[in-house]
Amino acid sequence: MTNTHITSYIDGKVGIIQLNRPKVANALNRLMIDEIVKQMEVYDSDDAIRVIMVKGNEKAFAAGADIDEMMEDTPLSLELLDPFAVWDRMLLIKKPMIAAINGFALGGGFELALHCDLIVAGETAKFGFPEVQLGVMPGAGGTQYLTREMGRRKALEMVWLGEPVSASYLLQNGVINRVVAPELVEEESMKLANKLSKQAPISLRLIKEAVDAAGDLSLRDGLKLERKNFYLTFASGDQKEGMQAFAEKRRPSFKGV
Ligand code: HXC
């Protein structure tokens, strides 16, 4: 299906969203973010889809929020528009989301990647938060995600300087998962997605909830949530199938129920 600013299609059990404003390095205007999130929600509620992948093109994942669109914003117009409410809906997506990145992932583009669960990047990809050079700062979670993932000092250095960093730097600092040759980004992301597609969907979903809670909850509350989710897996047919398959020395076939 082709929307205005994204292209979406399905490959096996993977729902793909391709950012599609190549003339402006996939700069994210508000309509585009709206389309991306709506498509994530469509995939999230489609039983045939197990994993969601977001990708750009060879030159850019996304070069940030659309600066032309932001130029005339005022504090009040932003307050009334509430442009980040739609970003918050990404936090409700239950299925695994993979960002496949080549080229620039800057500002809001990097933040879109950080909203995904796993990030695969090409060796030549460039990540950064150039907002400081525009006299603003990250607004879609950049300071929060980065600080949690790479620590305060490294995050400050990156966001204060606003200079792009390499995929290997982010790999070393625990922000991204895999770095491969640029031409292999899609293949590597699909390999990961296909592996995840074979895992028990309810386990993946409850693991995501528990891992995300680790950033917000006390250890005691996090352990409680993990335990409840562990118990909940025993309500699924996939728990029976997984353990039965082990006993029968065969591969399990998970149905997501
Ligand atoms: C609007 C953009 C854009 C953006 C690129 N373009 N990024 N338009 N908003 N964020 C446009 C350029 O104006 C240009 O249009 C075309 O895309 C190609 O870009 P070039 O600059 O000619 O290409 P290149 O020299 O290869 O440089 C690529 C680039 C550079 C390094 C990505 O364009 C750049 O620095 N862009 C801005 C990056 C940025 O500051 N991002 C943060 C935005 S603030 P024309 O018409 O001239 O061909 C942000 C806040 C997030 O993200 C808040 C939450 C959402």
Side-chain angles (χ1 to χ4, degrees), residues 21-25 27-28 33 59 63-70 84 87 104 106-109 111 129-131 133-134 136-140:
R21 287 187 86 202
K23 286 194 182 126
V24 286
L28 301 161
I33 285 292
K59 186 164 180 251
D66 188 325
I67 297 170
D68 296 338
E69 189 180 56
M70 276 189 301
F84 298 114
W87 286 78
F104 298 106
L106 303 177
E111 285 166 319
F129 283 111
E131 284 90 339
Q133 286 149 12
L134 298 168
V136 293
M137 61 177 283

Side-chain angles (χ1 to χ4, degrees), residues 218-238:
S218 66
L219 178 60
R220 199 177 176 79
D221 287 342
L223 290 173
K224 257 195 236 165
L225 177 88
E226 183 191 80
R227 223 158 279 168
K228 293 281 181 220
N229 284 2
F230 175 73
Y231 297 157
L232 194 49
T233 59
F234 284 76
S236 68
D238 284 344

Side-chain angles (χ1 to χ4, degrees), residues 140-184:
T143 60
Q144 303 305 297
Y145 280 113
L146 214 56
T147 305
R148 280 169 166 77
E149 289 168 13
M150 73 194 317
R152 177 176 182 273
R153 274 174 233 288
K154 294 240 160 109
L156 272 178
E157 181 183 348
M158 198 171 157
V159 187
W160 269 348
L161 293 179
E163 290 165 0
V165 301
S166 66
S168 66
Y169 177 77
L170 292 185
L171 183 70
Q172 282 160 28
N173 283 288
V175 181
I176 70 176
N177 297 84
R178 292 191 186 179
V179 179
V180 295
E183 63 279 11
L184 297 180

Side-chain angles (χ1 to χ4, degrees), residues 32-206:
M32 189 169 175
I33 285 292
D34 202 51
E35 288 176 352
I36 292 166
V37 175
K38 279 191 180 134
Q39 192 57 46
M40 286 173 173
E41 289 170 341
V42 166
Y43 287 149
D44 205 35
S45 56
D46 180 344
D47 288 344
I49 301 292
R50 299 257 177 116
V51 178
I52 299 166
M53 189 202 292
V54 185
K55 65 178 191 175
N57 55 46
E58 322 80 76
K59 186 164 180 251
F61 178 71
D66 188 325
I67 297 170
D68 296 338
E69 189 180 56
M70 276 189 301
M71 195 96 79
E72 303 301 330
D73 281 335
T74 67
L76 197 55
S77 71
L78 289 169
E79 168 64 25
L80 294 174
L81 188 65
D82 197 8
F84 298 114
V86 63
W87 286 78
D88 287 345
R89 283 172 26 214
M90 282 188 231
L91 303 176
L92 302 175
I93 302 292
K94 311 281 192 202
K95 289 181 183 163
M97 294 206 287
I98 300 176
I101 298 189
N102 265 318
F104 298 106
L106 303 177
F110 190 9
E111 285 166 319
L112 175 60
L114 291 169
H115 276 78
C116 294
D117 302 306
L118 303 177
I119 301 178
V120 176
E123 284 152 358
T124 52
K126 291 270 175 256
F127 296 82
F129 283 111
E131 284 90 339
V132 70
Q133 286 149 12
L134 298 168
V136 293
M137 61 177 283
T143 60
Q144 303 305 297
Y145 280 113
L146 214 56
T147 305
R148 280 169 166 77
E149 289 168 13
M150 73 194 317
R152 177 176 182 273
R153 274 174 233 288
K154 294 240 160 109
L156 272 178
E157 181 183 348
M158 198 171 157
V159 187
W160 269 348
L161 293 179
E163 290 165 0
V165 301
S166 66
S168 66
Y169 177 77
L170 292 185
L171 183 70
Q172 282 160 28
N173 283 288
V175 181
I176 70 176
N177 297 84
R178 292 191 186 179
V179 179
V180 295
E183 63 279 11
L184 297 180
V185 168
E186 179 131 13
E187 190 181 317
E188 187 67 22
S189 304
M190 278 307 288
K191 258 194 225 163
L192 252 180
N194 286 329
K195 272 192 191 173
L196 290 173
S197 298
K198 295 193 180 78
Q199 309 287 54
I202 292 167
S203 296
L204 295 184
R205 174 186 177 114
L206 296 176

